[in-house]
Amino acid sequence: MTTRRFPSAGLFGAAVLCMLAACAAVPAPVGEMAEAERAVQAATDADAATLAPIAFDEAQRKLVEAKSALQAGHHVEARQLAEQAAADAAFAEVAARAEQSERAAAMVRGQIQNASGELATQRRAGS
Amino acid sequence: MAPAFAQTMFWRILGLWLAALLGAFLLAAPARAQDVATIAQARSALEAARSERAVRALAAVELDAAEQALERALAALEARRPQSEIGHLAYLADRRAAIAQMRAKAILSARMLSSLTATRAMVLHARGLETAAAHRRVRVLAQQLRRFDVKADQRRVLLTPRERWFEAGLMPGPHAIRAIAEAAGMLGRLADRDVVVVGYDLDGARRRALVEDALAPATPADAAGSAVSPRSHGASLGADGRGPGGPDAEGLGCARADVVRAFLISRGVDPRRVAITCVTPDGTPEPSAGASPPLAGQTAIAIPLEQGFAWATPAGPAPAPTIDRAADAVIDAGSGAR
């Protein structure tokens, strides 16, 4: 009597092996981590901690979580967190630069107003 | 019998399998709805960014990145990728859209700042020219005074009386009254110019004796009501001609300066324009001053009551516009950002 083996057992084994292979194939997100680090540093340089604190804090938090995930070997999660951290940091940096410009513009506007007032006074006095 | 049993089992297994499939579908449905909502939010953010002309013109690169991110999210949704991945890609698309909007705003702000800075430079230049012209006018007028030695630098004028105004006490001599009237006449023609009367303080014992003697009679300072005096020092004569802490609190130099101030006011000089300050004989301000005395002011006319007065600070060139270097740095950063 010949015994016929059920084919699904073989398929199941193959699927498990594929999944294991896929997990092992996800590389560590080294590039994404570096990019996130660079973006957070750029935001820091733009004084985003003061000028765009919410986005900056979010970026920092995600970068820390990405590092933890990387250490734990959760490469997919680490990559996603690193990419989000980079995006948050990029937003924080641009927002900080916009805020800097607006503050400086307000200051210059005040200086113009003062100088114009003085000029008008001088001209009145001189006439 | 056996085929009937097998048929029954087949239908039972099929039923169970279908039930499991339906359960899985029902469980997955809310997750998929959430994915769709997440992506719809990102799409909405992108459309909002795209609808702004400034964003399209100034942040095209960022806008492209946002569109690509949204396409990736949509592809993941089509491919029924895990919810975490779809949510992640939708989040990136949303952020990129926000970055595009913020980039456009930053560029517009930097341009506005640049334009304002140019305007400020023009206004400051015009003000500098006007200031120089006004000062020339002051010097010309000051040179016409007969009872003063006139010394002027680029912005300040020093009117030193040729004769001593006070011998003792607080009452100036007749020649001093005439000189003060002459100065007041000139100051009346220079309505924009502040005046500082510089009193010289004496040593403590002599000052005390003189002040106690001299302040007893009424002085013009009484009439002036020095409470409104824009004095550079905290010491102030009250309505009775005495300082708030009695005569000891007031140096004689300050008291004499106050007398001169009162004379100037009585001859029509606006009280708001006339300040007094007290300096030690070597020309340094008394240490009691809280703020910088007006001697450091850049456009004042000073009338020292003693010879040998020197400005506490050199005038140097015309005052540089009070430009915050940070503003220029921001302009540089803004122009370099693109």
Side-chain angles (χ1 to χ4, degrees):
Chain A
M1 184 178 171
T2 55
T3 306
R4 286 186 63 190
R5 297 186 64 186
F6 195 63
S8 61
L11 286 173
F12 177 76
V16 168
L17 284 174
C18 279
M19 283 173 65
L20 288 173
C23 285
V26 172
V30 179
E32 287 84 352
M33 293 296 295
E35 173 58 20
E37 295 261 18
R38 188 208 60 75
V40 169
Q41 185 57 51
T44 305
D45 295 344
D47 202 16
T50 308
L51 300 170
I54 295 174
F56 183 75
D57 289 350
E58 190 77 357
Q60 278 197 315
R61 182 183 63 77
K62 284 177 180 168
L63 182 58
V64 169
E65 288 178 6
K67 286 177 181 170
S68 300
L70 186 63
Q71 279 183 341
H74 302 148
H75 291 178
V76 173
E77 187 188 352
R79 180 179 56 79
Q80 290 184 348
L81 284 165
E83 286 177 349
Q84 291 187 15
D88 290 337
F91 177 79
E93 183 199 346
V94 180
R97 295 205 184 283
E99 181 65 20
Q100 278 177 354
S101 293
E102 286 188 357
R103 289 186 185 187
M107 187 183 66
V108 174
R109 210 173 273 123
Q111 291 171 340
I112 290 171
Q113 210 166 8
N114 288 342
S116 300
E118 288 172 17
L119 183 60
T121 306
Q122 285 173 340
R123 284 182 174 159
R124 270 197 305 276
S127 61
Chain B
M1 187 71 184
F5 175 75
Q7 197 173 10
T8 307
M9 284 304 291
F10 171 77
W11 284 113
R12 280 186 181 168
I13 290 169
L14 184 64
L16 285 171
W17 188 78
L18 286 173
L21 195 64
L22 181 65
F25 177 76
L26 290 174
L27 283 173
R32 181 158 175 84
Q34 194 177 341
D35 290 344
V36 170
T38 311
I39 289 181
Q41 189 183 336
R43 188 199 298 272
S44 169
L46 179 59
E47 281 170 2
R50 202 164 23 203
S51 68
E52 293 179 32
R53 199 159 63 91
V55 178
R56 291 197 305 274
L58 300 173
V61 175
E62 288 81 0
L63 206 54
D64 281 349
E67 282 169 358
Q68 286 170 16
L70 183 65
E71 280 168 14
R72 278 201 298 276
L74 285 168
L77 184 71
E78 288 283 319
R80 296 184 174 279
R81 301 290 301 162
Q83 190 184 6
S84 63
E85 185 178 336
I86 295 169
H88 166 66
L89 293 171
Y91 181 83
L92 290 183
D94 182 82
R95 287 290 83 191
R96 300 258 179 262
I99 289 170
Q101 280 182 305
M102 195 53 80
R103 172 74 70 194
K105 185 180 173 191
I107 292 170
L108 287 177
S109 299
R111 287 183 182 175
M112 170 62 73
L113 175 59
S114 186
S115 161
L116 285 169
T117 306
T119 304
R120 179 184 60 184
M122 285 190 293
V123 172
L124 291 176
H125 180 67
R127 189 188 66 175
L129 293 177
E130 197 67 36
T131 301
H135 194 64
R136 274 196 300 277
R137 207 163 50 239
V138 172
R139 276 188 292 187
V140 167
L141 285 171
Q143 299 292 347
Q144 296 168 3
L145 298 175
R146 290 182 298 113
R147 299 173 192 277
F148 294 87
D149 288 325
V150 178
K151 228 194 269 184
D153 60 23
Q154 286 180 313
R155 292 183 306 283
R156 303 175 297 196
V157 175
L158 194 60
L159 304 179
T160 306
R162 287 184 176 158
E163 297 172 281
R164 199 175 179 81
W165 284 0
F166 294 91
E167 290 304 329
L170 286 175
M171 283 307 291
H175 60 284
I177 305 292
R178 284 192 291 274
I180 293 170
E182 188 181 42
M186 186 200 88
L187 295 172
R189 299 170 66 184
L190 298 167
D192 63 328
R193 206 47 64 119
D194 290 336
V195 186
V196 183
V197 182
V198 185
Y200 279 76
D201 220 344
L202 304 172
D203 62 87
R206 191 173 165 214
R207 175 205 313 171
R208 249 193 314 279
L210 287 171
V211 167
E212 283 171 3
D213 289 347
L215 283 181
T219 70
D222 299 338
S226 297
V228 296
S229 165
R231 300 161 66 93
S232 61
H233 282 197
S236 171
L237 289 180
D240 61 353
R242 293 167 186 270
D248 285 358
E250 185 63 82
L252 183 61
C254 273
R256 286 175 171 171
D258 232 354
V259 168
V260 173
R261 176 175 182 272
F263 269 97
L264 288 170
I265 292 167
S266 72
R267 277 156 181 78
V269 180
D270 185 343
R272 290 169 299 185
R273 292 174 53 203
V274 190
I276 68 164
T277 191
C278 313
V279 295
T280 56
D282 64 359
T284 55
E286 275 192 337
S288 61
S292 299
L295 295 179
Q298 298 299 305
T299 59
I301 295 171
I303 304 177
L305 301 184
E306 300 282 342
Q307 296 287 329
F309 173 79
W311 296 109
T313 54
T322 52
I323 297 172
D324 191 338
R325 299 286 173 220
D328 299 328
V330 168
I331 294 170
D332 295 342
S335 58
R338 294 300 302 169

